[in-house]
């Protein structure tokens, strides 16, 4: 399962890239708005930092298929032709997906709450389909189960599309999808930083260091003995 950062704050992205094994960056209009910067300014900075080959996902805004295609062409012109264009999985979106897929555009179908949306997006040529785990949970359904159903639908229909699960609130949700082997998950920085934030882990490491320092002296490590 690929692990992707769902954010547009360059400092957070740089910090996560330094410490964690991540595979790219996803954004959405709300995330861009939270950055407080002009969309292409922040997106170009992210592209430059992660590199030309890395996965970057950017969403269209237009409501019509024609407008979505124009947005898609501009996104690829500004950020590279391999950029994944996120398209909402609605009627106009399926039309845009089919046309863009024919032009070889990488498509991430987004705003997915139901397996039927994902199925139609996959048949329309999306490379990824992004179900919103936590938002589905908040509607009284089971987001993990929906993501698993989508993964199974793709496999049982020989569709190459991968699940790119989004909208996580905790590490348990992420782990369950990792265990199931979905293609990718995109996770906000606060959830990523919390993945191994655990008192037992911190105490174990602190105890090892304290015991070693009793033996060789405070502040000393293996290189000093
Ligand atoms: O791009 C969709 C996903 O990132 C939404 O996450 O946390 O706003 O539900 P969230």
């Amino acid at each position: 399962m690929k692990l992707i950062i769902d954010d547009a704050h360059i400092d957070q992205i740089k910090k996560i890239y330094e410490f964690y094994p991540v595979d790219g960056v996803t954004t959405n209009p709300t995330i861009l708005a939270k950055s407080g910067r002009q969309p292409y300014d922040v997106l170009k900075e992210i592209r430059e930092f992660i590199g030309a080959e890395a996965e970057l996902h950017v969403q269209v805004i237009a409501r019509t298929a024609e407008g979505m295609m124009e947005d898609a062409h501009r996104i690829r012109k500004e950020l590279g032709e391999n950029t994944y264009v996120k398209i909402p999985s609605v009627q106009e979106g399926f039309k845009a997906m089919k046309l863009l897929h024919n032009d070889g555009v990488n498509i991430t179908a987004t705003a997915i709450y139901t397996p039927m949306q994902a199925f139609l997006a996959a048949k329309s040529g999306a490379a990824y389909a992004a179900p919103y785990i936590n938002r589905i949970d908040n509607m009284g359904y089971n987001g993990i189960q929906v993501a698993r159903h989508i993964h199974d639908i793709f496999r049982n229909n020989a569709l190459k599309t991968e699940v790119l699960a989004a909208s996580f609130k905790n590490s348990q949700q992420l782990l369950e999808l990792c265990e199931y082997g979905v293609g990718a998950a995109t996770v906000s920085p606060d959830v990523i930083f919390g993945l191994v934030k655990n008192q037992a882990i911190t105490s174990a490491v602190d105890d090892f260091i304290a015991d070693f320092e009793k033996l060789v002296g405070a502040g000393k490590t293996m290189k000093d003995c």
Side-chain angles (χ1 to χ4, degrees):
M1 184 179 81
K2 288 182 186 169
L3 180 60
I4 301 181
I5 305 169
D6 202 21
D7 199 59
H9 291 94
I10 191 70
D11 293 345
Q12 297 278 60
I13 291 168
K14 285 183 178 174
K15 187 167 176 194
I16 292 167
Y17 258 79
E18 181 181 358
F19 293 103
Y20 292 90
V22 287
D23 301 289
V25 174
T26 57
T27 61
N28 65 33
T30 305
I31 284 172
L32 290 178
K34 281 184 190 155
S35 81
R37 299 174 58 196
Q38 286 306 301
Y40 287 114
D41 289 350
V42 66
L43 288 165
K44 281 181 181 175
E45 202 175 348
I46 293 169
R47 168 56 85 202
E48 195 179 325
F49 174 70
I50 66 177
E53 302 304 319
E55 280 195 23
L56 176 62
H57 301 243
V58 180
Q59 192 163 329
V60 300
I61 306 296
R63 288 184 182 275
T64 64
E66 291 69 26
M68 288 175 187
M69 291 178 68
E70 286 173 355
D71 277 0
H73 292 315
R74 176 77 192 280
I75 287 167
R76 293 172 82 232
K77 182 167 173 254
E78 299 286 348
L79 302 164
E81 296 207 336
N82 60 337
T83 302
Y84 283 79
V85 178
K86 291 176 72 177
I87 300 181
S89 303
V90 296
Q91 185 168 285
E92 292 286 330
F94 299 134
K95 178 178 174 183
M97 286 179 209
K98 288 197 296 171
L99 293 167
L100 289 168
H101 176 64
N102 285 341
D103 289 343
V105 176
N106 292 331
I107 298 161
T108 298
T110 195
I112 291 180
Y113 290 78
T114 69
M116 181 52 75
Q117 284 178 285
F119 175 64
L120 294 174
K123 282 181 68 70
S124 300
Y128 284 116
Y132 290 180
I133 306 306
N134 200 63
R135 294 192 195 191
I136 294 170
D137 284 354
N138 287 342
M139 291 168 69
Y141 299 99
N142 186 325
I144 298 297
Q145 221 166 63
V146 169
R148 287 176 165 191
H149 283 160
I150 293 171
H151 178 88
D152 291 345
I153 286 168
F154 292 165
R155 293 297 165 271
N156 293 338
N157 288 276
L159 292 161
K160 292 203 180 87
T161 315
E162 294 284 356
V163 168
L164 194 179
S167 180
F168 288 92
K169 283 295 164 277
N170 59 59
S171 61
Q172 179 58 27
Q173 293 170 325
L174 185 64
L175 198 58
E176 284 191 47
L177 288 181
C178 181
E179 189 179 341
Y180 205 67
V182 304
T186 186
V187 186
S188 63
D190 57 326
V191 173
I192 291 178
F193 290 126
L195 293 179
V196 290
K197 208 183 221 174
N198 176 317
Q199 194 52 46
I201 299 169
T202 311
S203 293
V205 176
D206 287 348
D207 288 348
F208 285 136
I209 293 170
D211 288 342
F212 191 78
E213 287 185 336
K214 273 186 225 149
L215 179 68
V216 299
K220 297 211 164 138
T221 68
M222 289 301 283
K223 76 174 187 320
D224 306 309
C225 333

